[in-house]
């Protein structure tokens, strides 16, 4: 970006400055030993064009909406339309959650995001012994198509887009969603939304796995293939770094391991015989946003560029949409503190700003009370308003990639991209992502970062406001959201009636057919849809596969 | 004679998959000289108590972030008593509202460690309260 003559001048100028004025300042008032980003990238006093001399503008940065998408995936970004404001929500019964959705839509939220309770995510019905105590706790209790009908009551599925955080059981819940859309008279090609469907990160760090890696990947690819044919506006996977970061990864590790998972999914789809450009435009991603705004922005830019190059060079993608890293962001749950919880509003504000400056396509902002409980309505409202303030008032959205060209941010972008590349090479050398996971490599890398972070907090080497510095006595936090234990009892009663009332022959036929199809290499989706319409429950369908595929039991790696 | 190492079971009850804290503490406890058994995810109270019995554990550490503590933690204490393991120290941590803590303590959980607790506080508590019952 700068000619040699100019760079020479700048290098000399910086040397004079650092030997002169800077040295003088430091002799009077020494700095602390070292500075770094949140994720330990060493940081210098000042960045100049000399630090980014290797950048070729057209090749490395380019223009928004054009390869390599460093500056963004849309040509005019938020000048055209803000990101989709999408709060992950769900608790208690389908009815309570439906009420929260309708409230959020009324407050200006533009998309839905379904939180399912853990039994649904793990493929158990609410009355299963392992569901004890969990019913309706961290999401809505959804056991069957009847619950889904209540969940989306009076919500037009042709108009809103819906994101569903469901992975090992993704095919089942998508089958229910499609059936409800059909009941509402909305054709499949008019439905928009996203399903997480990312089973690899469940094995790495999130824990909501059901089946061993191979069959669970088969279900993932079945869903992608089905959507590519029949639900063209649906993002058939959301490859997730969010939970990788929450588990302790650095910013660069978050992007590297997510991209490693992305590569594994692309390879699996290609192996199925799908041309890369037939499905890659519907791959989407999900990342975290922490409080170190500039590192986060660099992380997003680096990942966009690296993914575009990977799709083009490694997978020979030709269609631009195949190369675009489109992603949802959620602010960092793990950055929130139980101490002085109102401080979290500021953290979330900064993280929202990072997500906007980084160019996200949709965003969930955490609520300030989440280190205590599932968020209350008041806390959720503040979180949504935070997005609206950043969008409407902060000036982050009036131009595209406003931090592009900052010497520091470009330097960090290069640095993070290099680290991503390095990890991908290592993982390739280990035989690919699945093999790296089986060897515990990715898990151990994450744990090492988590350990290092905690040690810094414990030793006060790293300051965490309200936790290890600026601590104060405070009254206990009250007014928390409580999920009534009765939800579990009511759900168990309801399930009993549901199972008794359905057409037993149709139900049995649905499950038998699903079992047979699952044993072949045919796509399971049509059989899943038939089974959910025959009123089979999530647990019953997942049990069919437990019999056919077996269950996953992970090795635990403690580094 | 060197004192026998403290043996601790670190357990994740229920379907919760958030195991960052459990894994981190497993490493910290090992560094603090304890013998650690991490159960992995999806443990029922019965499985946890069986592990404590098999391993002849001194301590059971329960971690829950999905809101099931009021059900699971007392159940573990109750089953330990049934198995005549009432001397096992039970501690817990995770996303646990303050108002739930008195009830949990009354049910026999010795201490609850919330978010932001430094790890030395947990280690110290265990070392000074283990085998005290």
């Amino acid at each position: 970006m700068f000619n040699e003559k100019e760079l020479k001048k700048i290098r000399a100028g910086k040397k004079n400055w650092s030997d002169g004025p800077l040295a003088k300042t430091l002799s009077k008032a020494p700095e602390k030993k070292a500075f770094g980003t949140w994720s330990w990238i060493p940081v210098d006093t000042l960045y100049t064009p000399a630090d980014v001399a290797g950048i070729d503008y057209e090749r490395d940065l380019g223009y928004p909406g054009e390869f390599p998408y460093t500056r963004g995936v849309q040509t005019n970004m938020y000048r055209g339309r803000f990101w989709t404001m999408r709060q992950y929500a769900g608790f208690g019964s389908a009815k309570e959650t439906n009420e929260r959705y309708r409230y959020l839509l009324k407050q200006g939220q533009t998309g839905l995001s379904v939180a399912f309770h853990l039994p649904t995510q793990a493929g158990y019905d609410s009355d299963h012994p392992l569901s004890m105590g969990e019913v309706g706790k961290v999401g809505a209790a959804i056991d069957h198509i009847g619950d889904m009908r209540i969940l989306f009551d009076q919500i037009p599925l042709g108009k809103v887009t819906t994101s569903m955080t469901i992975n090992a059981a993704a095919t089942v819940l998508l089958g229910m969603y499609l059936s409800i859309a059909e009941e509402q008279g909305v054709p499949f090609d008019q439905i928009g939304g996203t399903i997480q469907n990312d089973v690899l990160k469940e094995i790495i760090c999130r824990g909501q796995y059901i089946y061993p890696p191979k069959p669970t990947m088969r279900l993932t690819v079945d869903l992608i293939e089905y959507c590519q044919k029949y639900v063209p506006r649906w993002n058939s996977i959301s490859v997730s770094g969010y939970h990788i970061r929450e588990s302790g990864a650095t910013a660069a590790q978050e992007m590297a391991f997510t991209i490693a998972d992305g590569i594994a999914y692309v390879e699996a789809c290609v192996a199925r015989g799908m041309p890369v450009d037939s499905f890659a435009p519907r791959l989407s991603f999900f990342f975290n946003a922490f409080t170190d705004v500039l590192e986060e922005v660099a992380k997003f830019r680096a990942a966009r560029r690296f993914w575009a190059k990977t799709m083009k060079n490694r997978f020979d993608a030709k269609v631009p949409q195949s190369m675009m890293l489109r992603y949802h962001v959620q602010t960092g749950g793990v950055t929130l503190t139980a101490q002085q919880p109102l401080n979290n509003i500021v953290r979330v504000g900064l993280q929202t700003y990072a997500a906007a400056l980084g160019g996200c396509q949709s965003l969930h902002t955490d609520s300030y009370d989440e280190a205590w409980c599932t968020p209350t309505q008041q806390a959720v409202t503040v979180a949504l308003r935070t997005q609206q303030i950043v969008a409407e008032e902060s000036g982050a959205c009036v131009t595209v990639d406003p931090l592009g060209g900052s010497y520091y941010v470009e330097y960090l972008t290069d640095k993070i991209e290099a680290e991503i590349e390095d990890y991908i090479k290592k993982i390739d050398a280990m035989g690919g992502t699945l093999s790296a996971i089986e060897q515990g490599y990715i898990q151990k890398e994450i744990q090492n970062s988590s350990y290092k972070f905690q040690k810094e907090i414990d030793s006060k080497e790293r300051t965490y406001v309200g936790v290890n510095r600026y601590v104060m006595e405070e009254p206990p936090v009250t007014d928390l959201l409580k999920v009534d234990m009765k939800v579990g009892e009511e759900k168990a009663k309801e399930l009993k009636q549901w199972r008794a009332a359905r057409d037993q022959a149709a139900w049995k036929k649905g499950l038998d057919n699903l079992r047979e199809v699952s044993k072949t290499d045919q796509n399971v989706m049509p059989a899943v849809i038939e089974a959910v319409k025959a009123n089979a429950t999530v647990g019953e369908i997942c049990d069919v596969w437990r019999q056919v595929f077996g269950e996953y039991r992970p090795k635990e790696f403690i580094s | 004679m060197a004192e026998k190492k403290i043996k601790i079971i670190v357990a994740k009850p229920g379907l919760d998959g958030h195991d960052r804290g459990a894994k981190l503490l497993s490493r910290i406890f090992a560094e603090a000289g304890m013998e650690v058994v991490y159960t992995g995810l999806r443990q029922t109270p019965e499985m946890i108590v069986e592990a404590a019995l098999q391993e002849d554990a001194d301590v059971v550490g329960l971690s829950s972030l999905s809101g099931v503590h009021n059900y699971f933690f007392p159940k573990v204490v109750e089953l330990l008593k049934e198995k005549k393991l009432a001397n096992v120290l039970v501690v817990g941590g995770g996303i646990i509202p303050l108002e739930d803590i008195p009830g949990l303590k009354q049910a026999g959980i010795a201490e609850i460690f919330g978010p932001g607790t430094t790890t030395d506080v947990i280690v110290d508590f265990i070392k000074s309260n283990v085998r005290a019952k």
Side-chain angles (χ1 to χ4, degrees):
Chain A
M1 286 202 290
F2 302 90
N3 64 43
E4 251 332 293
K5 206 175 132 202
E6 198 68 19
L7 285 170
K8 222 173 136 185
K9 235 165 57 186
I10 293 166
R11 284 194 188 101
K14 185 173 172 192
K15 188 165 186 308
N16 283 338
W17 169 81
S18 96
D19 292 349
L22 178 62
K24 204 173 146 195
T25 302
L26 295 181
S27 71
K28 279 190 237 153
E31 292 176 343
K32 60 177 187 178
K33 259 189 298 182
F35 289 82
T37 61
W38 181 296
S39 302
W40 302 293
I41 297 173
V43 176
D44 207 350
T45 320
L46 185 77
Y47 288 86
T48 71
D51 296 292
V52 291
I55 292 178
D56 176 324
Y57 184 84
E58 299 278 327
R59 181 194 65 196
D60 300 325
L61 303 180
Y63 300 91
E66 288 179 18
F67 187 85
Y69 305 101
T70 312
R71 308 206 63 182
V73 295
Q74 286 114 1
T75 46
N76 63 345
M77 290 301 292
Y78 309 133
R79 289 167 66 105
R81 183 172 79 76
F82 294 135
W83 60 86
T84 304
M85 298 180 188
R86 199 189 287 285
Q87 297 297 88
Y88 181 60
F91 60 95
S93 65
K95 189 166 172 288
E96 280 171 279
T97 302
N98 172 267
E99 280 160 18
R100 172 71 65 95
Y101 290 168
R102 288 196 277 143
Y103 169 79
L104 286 168
L105 290 170
K106 216 169 128 192
Q107 297 307 314
Q109 175 166 300
T110 47
L112 293 177
S113 176
V114 184
F116 295 104
H117 73 166
L118 291 174
T120 305
Q121 297 193 42
Y124 296 113
D125 287 337
S126 294
D127 56 355
H128 188 280
L130 269 170
S131 305
M132 284 298 286
E134 306 271 12
V135 179
K137 279 279 156 56
V138 299
I142 304 296
D143 291 315
H144 48 65
I145 193 170
D147 293 327
M148 260 329 227
R149 206 169 276 137
I150 296 167
L151 190 67
F152 292 107
D153 182 40
Q154 297 175 59
I155 296 171
L157 300 191
K159 291 210 177 92
V160 298
T161 59
T162 304
S163 169
M164 289 190 281
T165 299
I166 189 80
N167 295 277
T171 49
V172 185
L173 278 297
L174 181 67
M176 289 182 185
Y177 189 85
L178 293 175
S179 307
I180 298 301
E182 202 175 34
E183 288 179 10
Q184 289 189 3
V186 183
F188 285 6
D189 61 3
Q190 282 175 31
I191 304 168
T194 304
I195 194 150
Q196 204 162 71
N197 198 26
D198 170 11
V199 288
L200 292 176
K201 67 93 177 52
E202 298 299 333
I203 295 172
I204 294 172
C205 64
R206 191 170 174 270
Q208 299 308 323
Y209 42 69
I210 308 177
Y211 314 108
K214 276 204 183 119
T216 205
M217 280 287 273
R218 176 251 174 116
L219 294 176
T220 292
V221 176
D222 278 2
L223 190 155
I224 296 173
E225 187 184 42
Y226 184 85
C227 287
Q228 182 253 315
K229 286 188 183 144
Y230 305 109
V231 201
R233 287 180 56 216
W234 196 268
N235 298 312
S236 46
I237 192 164
S238 174
V239 190
S240 304
Y242 182 80
H243 320 87
I244 292 175
R245 189 73 181 279
E246 289 287 295
S247 316
T250 64
Q253 286 173 337
E254 174 193 358
M255 296 336 232
F257 299 146
T258 310
I259 287 173
D261 287 348
I263 288 171
Y265 293 122
V266 174
E267 283 173 348
C269 290
V270 170
R272 174 70 64 92
M274 301 165 72
V276 69
D277 286 320
S278 74
F279 66 86
R282 294 323 302 186
L283 302 178
S284 66
F285 290 79
F286 172 24
F287 296 114
N288 214 311
F290 270 31
T291 319
D292 183 336
V293 174
L294 301 175
E295 181 178 50
E296 295 301 301
V297 171
K299 166 191 98 172
F300 292 126
R301 300 171 87 247
R304 265 200 300 271
R305 185 158 74 204
F306 188 82
W307 181 251
K309 289 198 253 180
T310 302
M311 290 309 289
K312 188 176 183 169
N313 302 329
R314 183 174 181 145
F315 294 110
D316 207 21
K318 301 272 188 268
V319 174
Q321 284 78 9
S322 299
M323 303 173 207
M324 291 179 190
L325 184 90
R326 295 174 304 119
Y327 58 88
H328 172 71
V329 170
Q330 179 170 338
T331 60
V334 83
T335 69
L336 305 179
T337 61
Q339 295 76 15
Q340 305 172 38
L342 290 178
N343 295 347
N344 294 327
I345 297 174
V346 180
R347 294 191 176 96
V348 172
L350 287 165
Q351 295 163 3
T352 304
Y353 196 47
L357 295 173
C360 70
Q361 279 58 61
S362 66
L363 178 62
H364 165 104
T365 34
D366 291 333
S367 299
Y368 61 82
D369 56 0
E370 286 187 60
W372 288 111
C373 65
T374 305
T376 54
Q377 183 138 311
Q378 184 197 21
V380 171
T381 309
V382 173
L384 176 60
R385 295 287 180 254
T386 305
Q387 296 200 36
Q388 290 159 341
I389 289 167
V390 170
E392 305 277 2
E393 300 178 19
S394 79
C397 304
V398 296
T399 188
V400 178
D401 187 29
L403 289 174
S406 146
Y407 310 124
Y408 177 49
V409 170
E410 294 297 355
Y411 171 82
L412 283 180
T413 304
D414 288 353
K415 193 96 187 151
I416 292 172
E417 189 189 6
E419 201 178 324
I420 297 171
E421 190 173 2
D422 200 43
Y423 267 121
I424 298 299
K425 276 188 190 146
K426 266 187 210 147
I427 290 167
D428 283 341
M430 297 175 96
T433 311
L434 271 174
S435 155
I437 295 170
E438 271 159 25
Q439 294 171 47
Y441 171 71
I442 294 177
Q443 298 91 312
K444 282 189 234 167
E445 286 292 296
I446 298 169
Q447 280 176 46
N448 284 336
S449 298
S450 147
Y451 175 81
K452 191 173 166 186
F453 185 88
Q454 185 62 41
K455 281 285 175 188
E456 290 182 0
I457 298 286
D458 285 356
S459 67
K460 297 195 166 75
E461 197 182 323
R462 179 188 293 256
T463 298
Y464 220 96
V465 175
V467 173
N468 63 4
R469 273 191 84 183
Y470 316 111
V471 178
M472 63 183 195
E473 287 297 318
E474 48 188 328
V477 181
T478 51
D479 292 332
L480 302 178
L481 184 113
K482 283 267 167 203
V483 176
D484 202 330
M485 288 293 268
K486 273 203 197 107
V487 179
E489 293 160 30
E490 280 162 15
K491 204 72 193 71
K493 241 189 267 165
E494 185 276 333
L495 267 167
K496 224 173 163 178
Q497 291 164 356
W498 178 269
R499 293 194 189 105
R502 65 194 168 189
D503 176 342
Q504 303 300 320
W507 165 75
K508 186 172 180 303
K509 191 171 151 244
L511 287 183
D512 286 347
N513 178 46
L514 177 67
R515 187 175 297 106
E516 289 319 305
V517 169
S518 302
K519 289 177 187 162
T520 70
D521 57 8
Q522 286 173 55
N523 194 309
V524 297
M525 273 309 293
V528 169
I529 292 172
E530 193 192 318
V532 301
K533 282 184 181 168
N535 297 327
T537 64
V538 173
E540 289 162 350
I541 293 174
C542 290
D543 275 348
V544 165
W545 288 327
R546 283 190 181 93
Q547 290 154 16
V548 178
F549 300 147
E551 283 186 71
Y552 179 61
R553 292 267 174 267
K555 261 187 281 176
E556 293 300 342
F557 298 95
I558 303 287
S559 60
Chain B
M1 202 178 88
E3 206 186 331
K4 195 177 152 261
K5 274 187 165 186
I6 296 172
K7 190 156 197 182
I8 179 164
I9 307 280
V10 177
K12 285 289 302 174
L15 297 173
D16 179 27
H18 294 94
D19 58 1
R20 175 179 179 166
K23 285 178 166 170
L24 177 79
L25 283 171
S26 295
R27 184 164 168 179
I28 301 273
F29 292 150
E31 278 178 358
M34 301 182 205
E35 204 180 330
V36 184
V37 177
Y38 173 50
T39 61
L41 305 178
R42 298 195 194 173
Q43 302 292 303
T44 60
E46 289 77 10
M47 289 158 84
I48 295 165
V49 170
E50 185 59 29
L53 183 69
Q54 292 301 324
E55 300 286 345
D56 191 20
D58 304 298
V59 188
V60 170
L62 300 167
S63 162
S64 166
L65 286 79
S66 71
V68 298
H69 47 272
N70 284 340
Y71 167 73
F72 274 92
F73 291 9
K75 187 89 189 156
V76 168
V77 176
E78 188 189 311
L79 291 176
L80 282 169
K81 277 186 195 146
E82 271 177 31
K83 298 270 180 190
K84 311 226 174 320
L85 296 172
N87 56 337
V88 172
L89 180 73
V90 180
V91 293
I95 301 289
I96 295 167
L98 285 177
E99 61 197 75
D100 291 352
I101 293 176
L104 291 170
K105 285 196 173 167
Q106 205 162 26
I109 292 94
E111 192 57 89
I112 295 291
F113 303 102
T117 311
T118 53
T119 59
D120 50 343
V121 169
I122 304 173
V123 169
D124 288 348
F125 181 88
I126 290 171
K127 285 189 171 168
S128 24
N129 290 278
V130 72
R131 295 168 191 154
K133 287 204 248 181

